[in-house]
Amino acid sequence: SQKIEQNSEALNIQEGKTATLTCNYTNYSPAYLQWYRQDPGRGPVFLLLIRENEKEKRKERLKVTFDTTLKQSLFHITASQPADSATYLCALGTGGTSYGKLTFGQGTILTVHP
Amino acid sequence: GAVVSQHPSRVICKSGTSVKIECRSLDFQATTMFWYRQFPKKSLMLMATSNEGSKATYEQGVEKDKFLINHASLTLSTLTVTSAHPEDSSFYICSYQWVGTDTQYFGPGTRLTVL
C-alpha cells in the first residue's frame, strides 16, 4: 500500500544549527513533492515544491532535495531560529487524473531552542 | 502568496445539527479546490475535490451525503456537515489550487466540536 513517512515525530535543535527533516515514501510515483509549515490551530503554509526531475531547490534558508531512487526527500533549514519552530509536512502529488491531489505525511514537530 | 479565508474559525454544535463552513479565496479565482480534515496530532486527509460548476469528487470512505460541498463560484466554496456527530469533531481545512501551478493555498481552518 502507499505510504508516506516523516521519520521523526519531533526534532529538537539549538538555534543556529541546521535542521534536517526526512520524508520517505513507498509505492508512489510522485510527479512532485511539496513541503509545508503548519503552526498550531492554523492551516498549512506552502514553502517549497520540487519536481521528480529536479534534485535540489533552494529558497533563502530553506533547501529541499528529492531522490526518486531512494524515494526520499530531505528538507533543510539552515541557521535555524526559534521562529522556525512549527510542524513541517511533506506532501506528494502524482499528477495525471489525480492532478492537484496531495497526500500528506504525518508531520515533524520542529523545536528550535534559543 | 494567495489569501484564503474560512468562516467560522471555530464552531460548537449539538449532535444532530448541521454546520456550514465557508471557504473564500480573497485575491484570486480558482476553478479547483480541496477540502481536508485533520484529527489531533494527525496529518491532513483529503476529503473531496471540487471544481466550480461541477459536482465534487469524494475520496474513498467519505460520505457525500454527510459532507455536502457547494462550489458556488470561483471564489467561494462551502462544506456542510449534516447531522453532525461527535466523531465528526475535527479541524476542517480548504485549499485552492493556484491556476497553472501545482501550488495550493490553504485556509486557516475551522475547528468543529460536536457535543
Side-chain angles (χ1 to χ4, degrees):
Chain A
S1 62
Q2 295 178 325
K3 203 172 178 183
I4 300 173
E5 269 192 18
Q6 292 187 243
N7 283 13
S8 300
E9 185 176 328
L11 180 64
N12 293 281
I13 63 168
Q14 284 299 123
E15 182 175 8
K17 300 292 185 184
T18 296
T20 299
L21 286 68
T22 305
C23 177
N24 293 292
Y25 60 92
T26 55
N27 296 323
Y28 268 108
S29 294
Y32 53 88
L33 185 147
Q34 303 184 18
W35 284 89
Y36 287 82
R37 169 184 173 140
Q38 187 176 26
D39 291 286
R42 307 292 294 173
V45 174
F46 171 77
L47 296 175
L48 280 171
L49 178 152
I50 188 164
R51 299 193 183 281
E52 59 178 332
N53 60 348
E54 298 175 318
K55 296 291 185 188
E56 183 179 298
K57 272 276 186 74
R58 290 175 185 261
K59 180 183 175 183
E60 297 172 353
R61 294 186 295 114
L62 309 180
K63 184 178 87 171
V64 62
T65 62
F66 195 11
D67 189 326
T68 54
T69 301
L70 291 178
K71 297 185 185 297
Q72 180 182 81
S73 174
L74 299 179
F75 178 75
H76 306 272
I77 305 174
T78 58
S80 59
Q81 305 164 1
D84 295 326
S85 299
T87 297
Y88 290 86
L89 303 166
C90 70
L92 300 184
T94 52
T97 55
S98 298
Y99 179 72
K101 291 186 181 182
L102 293 177
T103 304
F104 283 83
Q106 79 278 18
T108 294
I109 302 171
L110 173 66
T111 303
V112 180
H113 299 280
Chain B
V3 180
V4 180
S5 72
Q6 278 186 243
H7 178 80
S9 58
R10 288 178 179 271
V11 57
I12 300 173
C13 68
K14 291 183 179 179
S15 188
T17 60
S18 294
V19 174
K20 181 185 283 189
I21 301 169
E22 287 188 352
C23 175
R24 292 180 186 271
S25 60
L26 300 182
D27 55 357
F28 70 103
Q29 295 180 333
T31 57
T32 304
M33 59 89 59
F34 305 88
W35 283 97
Y36 294 83
R37 65 189 297 183
Q38 185 176 34
F39 292 104
K41 298 190 178 181
K42 297 290 185 184
S43 193
L44 282 78
M45 297 296 293
L46 179 64
M47 298 174 67
T49 303
S50 173
N51 289 297
E52 189 262 343
S54 303
K55 287 186 179 180
T57 303
Y58 291 81
E59 294 299 300
Q60 194 172 11
V62 178
E63 300 175 58
K64 62 181 176 66
D65 294 329
K66 182 167 186 61
F67 299 99
L68 302 179
I69 292 171
N70 185 343
H71 196 155
S73 73
L74 293 174
T75 59
L76 172 65
S77 177
T78 60
L79 168 69
T80 301
V81 183
T82 62
S83 187
H85 288 99
E87 57 265 30
D88 298 323
S89 298
S90 188
F91 193 51
Y92 291 87
I93 313 173
C94 66
S95 73
Y96 279 94
Q97 179 97 6
W98 188 260
V99 175
T101 77
D102 297 314
T103 302
Q104 290 186 26
Y105 292 95
F106 286 80
T110 297
R111 174 73 60 193
L112 170 65
T113 303
V114 185
L115 302 176

